[in-house]
Amino acid sequence: MAQISKIFNLHVLICRNYKGDVDMAEIDHFMPLLMQHEEEGLICPVMSHGSVHFMWIKHSNLYLVATTNKNSNASLVYSFLYKLVEVFTEYFKELEEESIQDNFVVVYELLDELMDFGFPQTTDSKILQEYITQEGAKLEVAKTKVPTTVTNAVSWRSEGIKYKKNEVFIDVIESINVLVNANGSVMSSDIVGSIKLKTMLSGMPELRLGLNDRVLFALTGRDKGKTVVMEDVKFHQCVRLSRFESDRTISFIPPDGESELMSYRINTHVKPLIWIESVIEKFSHSRVEIMVKAKGQFKKQSVANNVEVRVPVPSDADSPKFKTSTGNAKYVPEKNLVVWTIKSFPGGKEFLMRAHFGLPSVENDEMEGKPPITVKFEIPYFTVSGIQVRYMKIIEKSGYQALPWVRYITQSGDYQLRTNV
Amino acid sequence: MPYLGSEDTVRELRRALSNPNIQSDQLRYRNTILKVIRAMSQGVDVSGLFSEMVKACATVDIVQKKLVYVFLCSYASLNPELSLLVINTLRKDCQDPNPMVRSLALRNMTNLRLPSLVEYVEQPLTAGLRDRAACVRRVAVLGFAKLHNLQTNSEIDAAVVNELYSLLRDPDPVVMVNCLRALEEILKEEGGVAINKPITHHLLNRLKECDVWGQCEVLRILQRYRPQSEDELFDILSLLDASLVSPHPPVMAATLSLFLSLCSGLPAVSLAALERVRGPLLAACGSMSREMRFTALCHIQLLLRSVPGLMGVHYKRFFCGYAEPAYIKQRKMQVLVELVNDENVAMLLDELRGYCTDVNTDTAQSAISAIGHIGRSYSDRCLEILTGLLGLKQEHITSAVVQTMRDLVWVCPQCSDTVCLALEGCEESLQDSQGRQALLWLLGVYGERVSCAPYTLEVFIDGVRSETSLGVKMELLTATMRLFLCRPAETQDMLGRLLHYCIEEETDMCVRDQALLYYRLLHCGIEETRKVLHGRRSDPSLGVLIGRPAEPISQWACSFNTLEPLRQGTIETESASRGSPEHVTFDPKPNTDLSDTLNYSHIEKVHSGSDSTTQRTDSSADILASNITVPLSLSLSPALSPEEFEHLWLQQQALHAEQDPEKMKEEEDYTYMEERIHCPAIPHCSPQNLQAAMQLVNIQTLAFTPPHTLPWRVYLYTHTQRTSSADMTHSTLILGELLYTGEANQKVRVKKGTGDREVVVEGREDVQIKEQEEATGDGLSGRELSGKDGEEEGVKVTLKQQPRDDKALKGFLSILTTVLHTLSSDRA
């Protein structure tokens, strides 16, 4: 049970006392408490002052704090705070102090709809956007139409949507998370995938999506081509879960516009698509020499775009010199990084970068961590897992023809390679 | 904009609000109101504008209405009279054709939080319950909860409660959930909303329609329901199965919570549920949000208390990312410590060593103490790492390492040699009092073996005048005293100086009293002092093996999915693993489903016999009576403490090592025996089950390694009582060890030893021994058995009996075998 009593932002930008069981002044203890914990190095997402517990998250320069005096359900409260961030972000693009200041009216309206008496109410931003609009702040004797969705059976889609050209865009995006040890062994790797839709369809269409899901293939007795085992599959609420559970069919009435249809995780051992070998030699009081070799371990036909290899350097390094076999290297002193950018990196190729830094003769006493090398990239027209959209059927009672467009992309997620120095 | 003081601001705003020109221009009017709200949010006291704002509330502009309501709800309690004026507008709005306006009016009417207005609010609220629009009903339902909250001691209106119950059938799922929430609040005194069978089934059937929040609410409330039959229970469980692996962590956690409360009588089902949530929990540990990750980790820690092996193979998921906040890293390390086993220990320690040099000193220190914990089982590897860390000469690392070594040595005295070697020279990089205290303790206890100990202490004693830490001074006193006992020549002079300083000059009473105490103790003579200071402590080396006995799920089930697990700063792994098992209280209630399955004929015999002995141990006549029907009975009393157990076990082991095993068999007062029982699933069985099953037949399990670890061990004991002739009973003590080394190590080794039960009852022993000598012939059957099963995977049983009684031993073995087989087939 979420016994959230208030939501606050930094300097108490906005606050809402939902239940009235926690004193409004309690929030004044939050910042001092946070500072104190920060000094002691004991920061924790739950802090207490007397009988009041503060559960907080930070988003850009804002703190969103829920206060409660009950032993409430922690994961529910955090989920709600993140939901707030999600909703606000969808309204204001960026959620930060300025956007709250500028959109105060909408923020108050939203806070009212999202939660009542400490209980989450309507939290779907698609629905909220139908009756709380930023245009409302302009004056057109605000919309008085009741959103059908608040009572409708299909709560995520309104009736009477019309498009001249009916299209659906399907994006299959996979992010790879890799952690490689200093001695080159892969400690953990997984793929987090998501299928996003941009729906521009009229009326109330019924969609069915076919994937090369191994469980489905096994069910139907087919066994041709590559199949994929998905774990932790999450669906948008529009997907009929009962059908998925019984025969693995993904059938749904899509929300209008952009939405995430499903996400999944695949826990197989993937070969890191971009392999990095690095030699970082540190000669105290004189110099650091860095040699980084990057190798594309994917199909020759594919190309990785906007590859960025970020190599950490000591904070007191100076006078950088670089030599690269391709791309550009740049020193970013404020982050203590060398960023090596390669615009286009074909599969199977290997590139080299050397960097040389001077070190001051007086040694820096402070302990420095050993940050890992991180890599960013994007490979279009390719999925690591091999997942494929086999078909997308669109049926609407008016019988129009609609076109599905599919795009695949693989990108780096949390891609870390530890170094020795 | 020029700076205006709060009074000026308010004056300015009031003028604007009451300006008719502005009032007639809707846009300007709304902007002025916006300014008021902005000022309010910035902490300016704008309560003086209340009457102007009340007027502004009568408008068709819904946004302006909302703004005014925000203002009114904040200040209504300061102006209860003026608030009456708002009620009229609000009540009019409740008739508005637009449902948004109706719900807005209702919500704010109840948000005013004024008890004086309750009478005006009740009627529109009741009407709201029957509104066509769901959004109005949602607000109205919660409105009643708010009203009740305003006047908690007022009579509960039965009509309203009935209406709310009937609205549980509302087509809108949010209305349904809100009804539950409201009834919970209103009926708090009576224990919340009544959950009967039809309501439960209705809620379960509609669970899928609800959003995440609603599902959590329903699942939480259903915890109060008790199914009437087992069939019903399993129907509910299978309905809930899909939510158990829900990708939404709050739903998953709420479902597990419900599972645990429904299955509190069925440990096997609860354990299966824990296994089932492993996947979703691990997924939550990799969630994008740190707070969710943190919450998931805290809850995993709870689960591990009962099923230590749950996450064993997934240990890599708990490796820390570089950028993770310290609070997550620390929890992950606590989990990692629990997951260590023979296979992953190298990898795990390698990883932990990396964290020891973390920039965040707290993380580094936690990593070091985590290594220390693992050191209790894998001391050599860990000491190597710890010693290596000392070489870094980093102040905080050295301090943490020395403290960790102190704690490790206390538990594993066999590590002391390595520790003594490592101590040389580390006093230079110790600054904080905690670290210095640890060093002093080590120097005091192992002073003989650290050559520089007196010199190090002398430095401390010379600086005692400027010492600020009380703890360091106390520790210094004790350490110097201890060192004096083993190296008197080198220490005498400095001890004298220290005592003199502490007694004559020290201002702190604690230190002074301590010094006086030692001074007087020395007067009693050196031998007396030695007795006091070097008193033998029980050897806790067995503690390593013992590990922490897994707790029953019920110990933590009620705090699952609440705030509590997050608030337990560091879970008490420390105290729990150190405490000897005798302090751990187990749920004495017998495991019901186990007793049902244990219906082997001779177990039943033993069962009844053991019952009688536990009830009548003191009366010998009763024992006789029971013995007529039961040839062998087991009893738990007198209880054996772990120390006694260890003492007896080791004593017999020593004897065994000295002598040829064959001769051993002929030893008259005790016997040992090795046996192999084929029951592969046993090492995966939870300690509770094992413990409960053993207790049923009156065998006490004393110590376990956690399930899934290799080698897996259990220590147990029991007393046997057997009637050999009509008026003669004799009792023996059996100590046993179950050992499972895994498929890799197929060797069979079963030992069995017998020794005198208690020195006190020597008188009777003589007679018994003679009888046992007659019975030795049968003692070898166990050997043949082990030969047969030797090729297969099995649990090795080592038994030591004292005094020897082969019949009793054989009887005991068959009971034990049956229990293990039963448990094993139960698992399969």
Side-chain angles (χ1 to χ4, degrees):
Chain A
M1 177 170 56
Q3 290 287 0
I4 300 171
S5 292
K6 298 176 212 169
I7 311 283
F8 285 87
N9 298 337
L10 187 64
H11 300 309
V12 193
L13 267 181
I14 292 267
C15 106
R16 202 82 189 81
N17 192 344
Y18 284 112
K19 194 134 192 199
D21 54 355
V22 177
D23 195 274
M24 287 289 257
E26 281 293 343
I27 193 64
D28 299 338
H29 301 297
F30 175 73
M31 279 321 275
L33 209 60
L34 188 71
M35 304 286 196
Q36 185 198 335
H37 281 243
E38 209 155 30
E39 258 168 43
E40 292 166 6
L42 299 167
I43 270 219
C44 178
V46 193
M47 299 189 299
S48 305
H49 182 268
S51 63
V52 180
H53 309 299
F54 299 103
M55 278 175 269
W56 59 280
I57 63 171
K58 197 179 174 191
H59 186 89
S60 58
N61 54 358
L62 295 173
Y63 290 94
L64 285 93
V65 187
T67 59
T68 175
N69 53 11
K70 300 224 167 55
N71 187 10
S72 38
N73 179 342
S75 58
L76 198 64
V77 176
Y78 291 127
S79 299
F80 182 76
L81 291 178
Y82 275 97
K83 191 78 198 179
L84 277 186
V85 172
E86 191 191 313
V87 171
F88 286 149
T89 316
E90 269 176 52
Y91 266 87
F92 315 132
K93 298 276 178 288
E94 294 280 309
L95 172 60
E96 52 191 17
E97 189 167 345
E98 292 71 41
S99 60
I100 296 275
Q101 296 272 22
D102 297 347
N103 296 288
F104 219 97
V105 182
V106 183
V107 172
Y108 267 120
E109 286 184 68
L110 284 176
L111 287 177
D112 250 4
E113 294 298 330
L114 283 162
M115 178 169 265
D116 195 6
F117 200 46
F119 300 113
Q121 300 289 309
T122 313
T123 54
D124 191 316
S125 59
K126 287 262 146 46
I127 302 172
L128 288 167
Q129 265 162 356
E130 286 183 30
Y131 60 103
I132 297 178
T133 47
Q134 270 158 303
E135 287 78 54
K138 297 173 202 146
L139 197 93
E140 301 163 18
V141 183
K143 259 207 225 169
T144 49
K145 206 188 111 211
V146 204
T148 47
T149 46
V150 180
T151 52
N152 204 351
V154 184
S155 65
W156 56 88
R157 190 182 175 95
S158 311
E159 275 168 58
I161 297 172
K162 269 218 168 75
Y163 284 98
K164 269 190 198 148
K165 195 174 174 190
N166 290 301
E167 288 176 310
V168 194
F169 298 87
I170 308 165
D171 279 342
V172 181
I173 303 166
E174 291 194 337
S175 309
I176 313 188
N177 300 323
V178 173
L179 178 62
V180 180
N181 211 349
N183 56 25
S185 61
V186 179
M187 306 289 276
S188 64
S189 66
D190 60 0
I191 305 165
V192 178
S194 116
I195 298 185
K196 293 190 171 153
L197 292 183
K198 188 174 177 190
T199 318
M200 298 160 79
L201 297 172
S202 315
M204 276 287 179
E206 267 282 344
L207 270 61
R208 247 170 62 205
L209 177 70
L211 299 171
N212 55 339
D213 171 14
R214 183 170 302 166
V215 184
L216 171 68
F217 275 43
L219 271 180
T220 51
R222 272 176 298 181
D223 190 26
K224 44 182 178 183
K226 206 181 167 195
T227 53
V228 177
V229 185
M230 296 181 286
E231 294 169 38
D232 305 334
V233 189
K234 280 187 211 186
F235 287 109
H236 187 274
Q237 58 160 332
C238 65
V239 176
R240 294 187 185 91
L241 287 178
S242 48
R243 283 209 61 186
F244 182 75
E245 274 152 26
S246 64
D247 59 5
R248 300 291 273 196
T249 313
I250 303 170
S251 86
F252 55 97
I253 296 173
D256 191 43
E258 288 177 34
S259 59
E260 185 180 61
L261 180 69
M262 64 182 280
S263 68
Y264 55 89
R265 173 204 288 273
I266 297 174
N267 228 328
T268 50
H269 205 77
V270 282
K271 192 158 46 156
L273 293 181
I274 293 194
W275 182 253
I276 301 287
E277 278 170 40
S278 66
V279 181
I280 304 179
E281 282 180 291
K282 193 172 166 183
F283 303 92
S284 287
H285 316 300
S286 70
R287 64 190 197 280
V288 181
E289 280 175 6
I290 299 171
M291 196 276 292
V292 176
K293 194 162 78 179
K295 193 179 169 195
Q297 305 193 105
F298 46 91
K299 272 187 271 172
K300 286 210 173 73
Q301 305 92 292
S302 296
V303 175
N305 292 335
N306 304 322
V307 178
E308 262 187 35
V309 182
R310 298 158 170 258
V311 187
V313 292
S315 59
D316 49 1
D318 54 42
S319 48
K321 274 179 228 148
F322 305 108
K323 216 164 107 188
T324 56
S325 62
T326 190
N328 282 318
K330 205 174 81 189
Y331 176 44
V332 189
E334 63 273 17
K335 287 182 180 161
N336 303 318
L337 282 178
V338 175
V339 181
W340 176 23
T341 332
I342 304 164
K343 277 274 165 264
S344 130
F345 194 138
K349 285 277 189 318
E350 213 176 277
F351 298 115
L352 210 67
M353 190 264 297
R354 287 177 190 281
H356 178 285
F357 285 89
L359 282 180
S361 49
V362 185
E363 205 170 344
N364 191 352
D365 273 346
E366 273 171 51
M367 273 261 289
E368 282 189 22
K370 291 189 215 163
I373 295 181
T374 55
V375 186
K376 282 188 169 179
F377 58 85
E378 263 181 24
I379 309 176
Y381 317 115
F382 168 76
T383 54
V384 231
S385 66
I387 198 167
Q388 276 176 354
V389 174
R390 292 180 48 249
Y391 60 82
M392 166 72 99
K393 288 188 180 140
I394 303 161
I395 303 157
E396 218 275 333
K397 48 178 186 290
S398 67
Y400 59 70
Q401 286 296 309
L403 282 176
W405 304 92
V406 188
R407 236 179 0 178
Y408 299 99
I409 193 163
T410 293
Q411 61 188 27
S412 57
D414 190 12
Y415 202 100
Q416 300 190 353
L417 301 103
R418 293 185 183 163
T419 58
N420 270 317
V421 175
Chain B
M1 191 177 127
Y3 173 79
L4 294 172
S6 67
E7 277 173 42
D8 296 330
T9 318
V10 173
R11 198 174 312 131
E12 196 72 12
L13 285 171
R14 175 175 294 127
R15 194 173 307 139
L17 282 174
S18 37
N19 183 339
N21 290 331
I22 291 181
Q23 283 178 358
S24 59
D25 180 344
Q26 238 174 17
L27 189 59
R28 281 176 73 193
Y29 201 21
R30 189 208 275 186
N31 282 338
T32 318
I33 289 164
L34 193 58
K35 276 184 203 153
V36 177
I37 305 291
R38 205 176 284 266
M40 184 181 92
S41 301
Q42 283 157 1
V44 179
D45 179 14
V46 284
S47 57
L49 300 173
F50 200 86
S51 53
E52 282 81 8
M53 290 298 271
V54 169
K55 273 179 221 148
C57 146
T59 168
V60 286
D61 178 4
I62 200 165
V63 175
Q64 179 174 335
K65 250 186 213 306
K66 282 183 184 172
L67 287 174
V68 174
Y69 290 154
V70 167
F71 175 92
L72 295 182
C73 291
S74 309
Y75 291 113
S77 49
L78 299 175
N79 299 285
E81 280 82 37
L82 279 174
S83 304
L84 262 177
L85 300 176
V86 198
I87 280 291
N88 262 332
T89 327
L90 284 170
R91 286 185 67 140
K92 209 167 78 209
D93 280 354
C94 287
Q95 315 290 328
D96 197 281
N98 182 349
M100 293 316 290
V101 176
R102 294 202 297 273
S103 67
L104 185 70
L106 269 185
R107 185 185 309 134
N108 287 291
M109 214 181 252
T110 45
N111 279 352
L112 289 174
R113 299 206 183 105
L114 286 177
S116 55
L117 298 184
V118 169
E119 50 180 316
Y120 304 98
V121 177
E122 267 170 347
Q123 191 270 324
L125 266 188
T126 317
L129 286 181
R130 299 187 194 108
D131 200 285
R132 282 175 293 111
C135 59
V136 182
R137 294 199 299 273
R138 291 175 183 180
V139 173
V141 168
L142 279 186
F144 278 106
K146 292 181 200 169
L147 280 199
H148 179 78
N149 211 22
L150 272 183
Q151 22 173 229
T152 37
N153 41 12
S154 71
E155 283 285 298
I156 297 170
D157 185 348
V160 170
V161 170
N162 281 338
E163 188 120 13
L164 289 177
Y165 271 116
S166 65
L167 274 177
L168 284 176
R169 311 232 165 241
D170 194 278
D172 183 76
V174 181
V175 174
M176 175 185 85
V177 177
N178 277 356
C179 275
L180 281 179
R181 291 162 169 162
L183 286 168
E184 273 293 274
E185 190 75 31
I186 295 171
L187 304 174
K188 211 190 278 165
E189 307 268 285
E190 300 167 23
V193 51
I195 295 295
N196 56 23
K197 193 169 170 178
I199 290 182
T200 305
H201 289 228
H202 171 72
L203 291 177
L204 281 171
N205 286 332
R206 296 193 57 187
L207 193 60
K208 287 222 172 94
E209 296 168 33
C210 302
D211 55 9
V212 174
W213 326 109
Q215 290 187 21
C216 292
E217 198 74 45
V218 170
L219 291 167
R220 190 186 64 82
I221 287 174
L222 286 183
Q223 284 188 26
R224 282 208 297 273
Y225 182 63
R226 289 281 156 261
Q228 284 143 6
S229 70
E230 195 138 285
D231 285 345
E232 193 196 353
L233 170 66
F234 283 104
D235 282 348
I236 293 177
L237 294 185
S238 51
L239 264 178
L240 287 174
D241 190 64
S243 326
L244 194 57
V245 289
S246 159
H248 301 285
V251 177
M252 177 266 294
T255 318
L256 181 60
S257 215
L258 175 58
F259 248 80
L260 295 181
S261 89
L262 286 175
C263 306
S264 51
L266 302 170
V269 183
S270 305
L271 285 175
L274 297 189
E275 301 260 331
R276 192 112 169 81
V277 295
R278 174 171 41 202
L281 261 180
L282 280 171
C285 280
S287 138
M288 288 303 284
S289 131
R290 320 148 140 200
E291 289 78 14
M292 294 305 269
R293 248 183 291 164
F294 177 69
T295 314
L297 282 169
C298 296
H299 283 104
I300 283 181
Q301 284 186 302
L302 277 188
L303 261 60
L304 288 180
R305 281 161 63 178
S306 286
V307 198
L310 191 64
M311 301 289 176
V313 284
H314 301 283
Y315 66 97
K316 282 186 180 169
R317 292 280 194 101
F318 300 96
F319 285 177
C320 304
Y322 176 73
E324 279 180 314
Y327 58 81
I328 290 190
K329 285 187 179 171
Q330 289 179 7
R331 293 285 175 159
K332 281 193 169 173
M333 285 189 260
Q334 288 170 8
V335 172
L336 280 175
V337 167
E338 303 280 319
L339 301 184
V340 72
N341 63 33
D342 284 354
E343 269 136 55
N344 62 23
V345 64
M347 185 79 123
L348 227 147
L349 284 175
D350 228 34
E351 185 72 15
L352 283 172
R353 178 172 34 203
Y355 308 151
C356 293
T357 46
D358 198 285
V359 198
N360 182 318
T361 55
D362 289 304
T363 309
Q365 283 169 355
S366 318
I368 293 168
S369 79
I371 292 181
H373 264 282
I374 297 176
R376 293 169 188 195
S377 330
Y378 301 93
S379 44
D380 292 344
R381 293 165 192 259
C382 294
L383 280 171
E384 196 188 316
I385 295 178
L386 291 175
T387 318
L389 287 171
L390 286 177
L392 294 175
K393 301 268 173 214
Q394 287 283 337
E395 205 180 287
H396 69 274
I397 293 182
T398 308
S399 164
V401 169
V402 173
Q403 291 175 54
T404 304
M405 283 180 162
R406 171 196 58 190
D407 296 343
L408 184 61
V409 153
W410 173 258
V411 187
C412 310
Q414 69 273 19
C415 303
S416 55
D417 288 332
T418 325
V419 169
C420 290
L421 282 177
L423 283 182
E424 307 266 352
C426 66
E427 74 275 359
E428 289 153 29
S429 39
L430 275 178
Q431 294 299 320
D432 64 320
S433 58
Q434 295 286 335
R436 285 183 300 156
Q437 244 170 288
L439 177 69
L440 284 172
W441 186 86
L442 283 166
L443 289 178
V445 176
Y446 297 105
E448 308 167 76
R449 286 185 259 164
V450 186
S451 56
C452 66
Y455 308 101
T456 313
L457 281 188
E458 187 149 32
V459 176
F460 274 97
I461 291 171
D462 290 343
V464 73
R465 244 165 261 274
S466 51
E467 179 59 61
T468 48
S469 156
L470 177 64
V472 170
K473 283 187 213 171
M474 303 282 269
E475 200 62 69
L476 182 60
L477 263 173
T478 314
T480 316
M481 280 296 287
R482 283 193 170 136
L483 196 64
F484 170 70
L485 291 174
C486 55
R487 299 167 77 164
E490 293 158 283
T491 327
Q492 187 171 18
D493 178 54
M494 57 174 106
L495 176 65
R497 272 188 287 145
L498 181 65
L499 284 176
H500 182 267
Y501 167 79
C502 289
I503 295 168
E504 298 295 330
E505 293 175 48
E506 175 59 42
T507 49
D508 190 282
M509 259 312 169
C510 288
V511 180
R512 217 191 290 177
D513 281 346
Q514 179 100 343
L516 273 172
L517 181 74
Y518 284 140
Y519 181 70
R520 287 171 193 147
L521 191 61
L522 283 170
H523 272 291
C524 298
I526 208 76
E527 272 318 305
E528 297 298 315
T529 315
R530 198 184 299 276
K531 257 187 224 157
V532 171
L533 276 173
H534 280 183
R536 229 187 83 82
R537 186 170 65 88
S538 95
D539 180 10
S541 57
L542 199 66
V544 186
L545 230 64
I546 289 170
R548 197 147 39 100
E551 286 174 41
I553 293 171
S554 56
Q555 295 245 317
W556 51 264
C558 56
S559 66
F560 189 83
N561 202 25
T562 64
L563 211 53
E564 219 174 287
L566 280 72
R567 312 229 346 103
Q568 290 162 341
T570 46
I571 250 169
E572 325 69 20
T573 43
E574 196 81 5
S575 60
S577 57
R578 254 190 220 170
S580 55
E582 67 198 303
H583 301 307
V584 183
T585 50
F586 286 97
D587 202 352
K589 129 188 127 185
N591 189 320
T592 45
D593 67 329
L594 267 171
S595 64
D596 290 343
T597 52
L598 281 176
N599 50 9
Y600 286 69
S601 57
H602 69 285
I603 286 278
E604 274 195 336
K605 251 194 274 171
V606 172
H607 195 37
S608 60
S610 62
D611 277 350
S612 62
T613 37
T614 40
Q615 288 154 16
R616 314 166 192 173
T617 29
D618 296 287
S619 132
S620 58
D622 284 334
I623 290 173
L624 279 178
S626 72
N627 279 329
I628 294 165
T629 50
V630 184
L632 173 69
S633 66
L634 304 181
S635 136
L636 290 181
S637 57
L640 204 62
S641 76
E643 285 79 24
E644 286 165 335
F645 180 91
E646 184 202 349
H647 180 69
L648 285 168
W649 184 265
L650 292 177
Q651 181 192 21
Q652 289 165 12
Q653 199 138 37
L655 272 166
H656 176 209
E658 280 164 21
Q659 297 173 11
D660 187 342
E662 288 309 309
K663 255 192 214 163
M664 202 54 193
K665 291 253 166 208
E666 284 131 41
E667 192 71 29
E668 55 180 14
D669 67 337
Y670 73 90
T671 176
Y672 93 103
M673 172 180 181
E674 293 185 358
E675 174 63 272
R676 192 173 184 78
I677 299 175
H678 178 71
C679 43
I682 284 297
H684 309 291
C685 155
S686 91
Q688 284 84 48
N689 282 354
L690 195 66
Q691 169 117 15
M694 293 292 186
Q695 265 174 351
L696 275 183
V697 293
N698 275 353
I699 300 173
Q700 177 65 48
T701 43
L702 206 60
F704 308 85
T705 48
H708 305 291
T709 51
L710 289 174
W712 174 88
R713 273 172 220 262
V714 173
Y715 285 104
L716 42 85
Y717 75 84
T718 190
H719 299 278
T720 65
Q721 267 157 351
R722 187 172 72 90
T723 336
S724 44
S725 58
D727 51 354
M728 192 76 80
T729 67
H730 60 244
S731 41
T732 69
L733 170 67
I734 295 181
L735 310 180
E737 177 201 50
L738 308 184
L739 177 71
Y740 174 74
T741 45
E743 286 107 289
N745 188 354
Q746 288 287 359
K747 261 204 195 138
V748 186
R749 200 190 76 192
V750 182
K751 284 185 274 170
K752 188 183 229 177
T754 341
D756 276 67
R757 176 186 161 173
E758 299 260 288
V759 198
V760 203
V761 283
E762 267 169 343
R764 265 165 64 198
E765 229 83 63
D766 292 332
V767 194
Q768 293 160 6
I769 290 159
K770 276 174 207 150
E771 281 165 6
Q772 287 138 29
E773 277 174 321
E774 293 161 20
T776 28
D778 316 19
L780 295 170
S781 59
R783 279 266 156 185
E784 291 156 29
L785 242 173
S786 76
K788 230 190 298 168
D789 287 358
E791 304 301 311
E792 294 172 69
E793 167 185 1
V795 172
K796 190 175 74 192
V797 182
T798 308
L799 297 176
K800 299 183 178 183
Q801 190 189 29
Q802 182 180 34
R804 181 169 188 165
D805 177 350
D806 288 311
K807 278 196 181 133
L809 195 58
K810 265 179 74 186
F812 170 76
L813 193 66
S814 75
I815 293 166
L816 187 67
T817 314
T818 318
V819 174
L820 292 179
H821 280 165
T822 313
L823 274 172
S824 195
S825 58
D826 209 32
R827 291 268 310 179

